[in-house]
Amino acid sequence: MKKVIIVYGSSTDNTKRVAEQIAKELSGEEVTVMDVSGLKTGTLDNYTNIILGTSTWGLGDLQDDWDGQLPVLSNSRLEGKTIAFFGLGDSSSYPDTFVDGMGILYEAVRDKGATLVGEFPTDGYEYDDSKAVVDGKFVGVALDEDNEDEKTEGRLKEWLSLITPAFQ
């Protein structure tokens, strides 16, 4: 497997912990975990495989650190790269905007020439609407650390089994 970078934005450290958990599951591979605040033009050039993660805040807002960095991501050269997504949200308090932040990241890169992998079934989730659902599936793995943290490990393992073959 080629080098992997996990770029995440986290306000309460939940997304950071998930990013570190993903890196641990990918042990044996060359994995870099980076807070999005460190993302600069050219950072992604040295990586073929990219995992983007974010939490969703308020009524469907992207995590604050991503706001200033979204243009850097949008302007990155992503042709020939493989990108996967993970998103955290609160399906109980915000069922109408569950993991919308992940959908916003997806929108930022979907037409940039990258191969997008890791779409995840919506079965077993309770929510009303999400910008992260495309063609009946989440664009990446959706996690709810507030209400369903006991499901995180299993969902991550299933999602990783979907994306790792594409990360060759």
Side-chain angles (χ1 to χ4, degrees):
M1 181 184 303
K2 296 182 177 128
K3 295 192 301 185
V4 177
I5 187 167
I6 302 169
V7 182
Y8 69 90
S10 188
S11 296
T12 63
D13 284 344
N14 283 343
T15 311
K16 177 183 180 181
R17 280 192 297 276
V18 170
E20 290 169 347
Q21 189 174 350
I22 292 168
K24 184 178 175 187
E25 292 291 329
L26 292 173
S27 65
E29 308 303 335
E30 189 175 343
V31 180
T32 300
V33 179
M34 177 179 21
D35 185 294
V36 69
S37 60
L39 187 65
K40 307 285 183 237
T41 301
T43 300
L44 302 178
D45 292 351
N46 296 321
Y47 297 90
T48 304
N49 301 307
I50 302 166
I51 298 174
L52 303 174
T54 188
S55 52
T56 300
W57 284 88
L59 299 175
D61 296 325
L62 189 61
Q63 191 271 341
D64 289 345
D65 296 336
W66 271 109
D67 279 339
Q69 298 299 77
L70 205 52
V72 175
L73 178 64
S74 296
N75 293 321
S76 294
R77 298 180 54 130
L78 301 175
E79 301 87 4
K81 299 191 183 296
T82 302
I83 302 176
F85 305 90
F86 70 97
L88 280 70
D90 181 337
S91 63
S92 179
S93 298
Y94 301 99
D96 294 335
T97 58
F98 182 56
V99 296
D100 275 4
M102 181 169 61
I104 294 168
L105 290 181
Y106 171 84
E107 288 291 322
V109 301
R110 76 171 182 179
D111 296 325
K112 300 293 183 185
T115 300
L116 306 180
V117 299
E119 58 183 26
F120 201 76
T122 58
D123 302 340
Y125 290 89
E126 291 187 31
Y127 67 98
D128 294 330
D129 197 18
S130 178
K131 289 180 183 175
V133 174
V134 175
D135 296 330
K137 291 186 175 184
F138 287 112
V139 297
V141 65
L143 305 168
D144 186 342
E145 291 293 281
D146 296 314
N147 304 293
E148 300 180 338
D149 60 325
E150 75 283 356
K151 295 182 180 180
T152 295
E153 185 176 346
R155 287 175 172 165
L156 279 179
K157 285 183 187 283
E158 182 180 347
W159 176 71
L160 285 166
S161 74
L162 297 171
I163 69 168
T164 50
F167 276 9
Q168 301 306 319

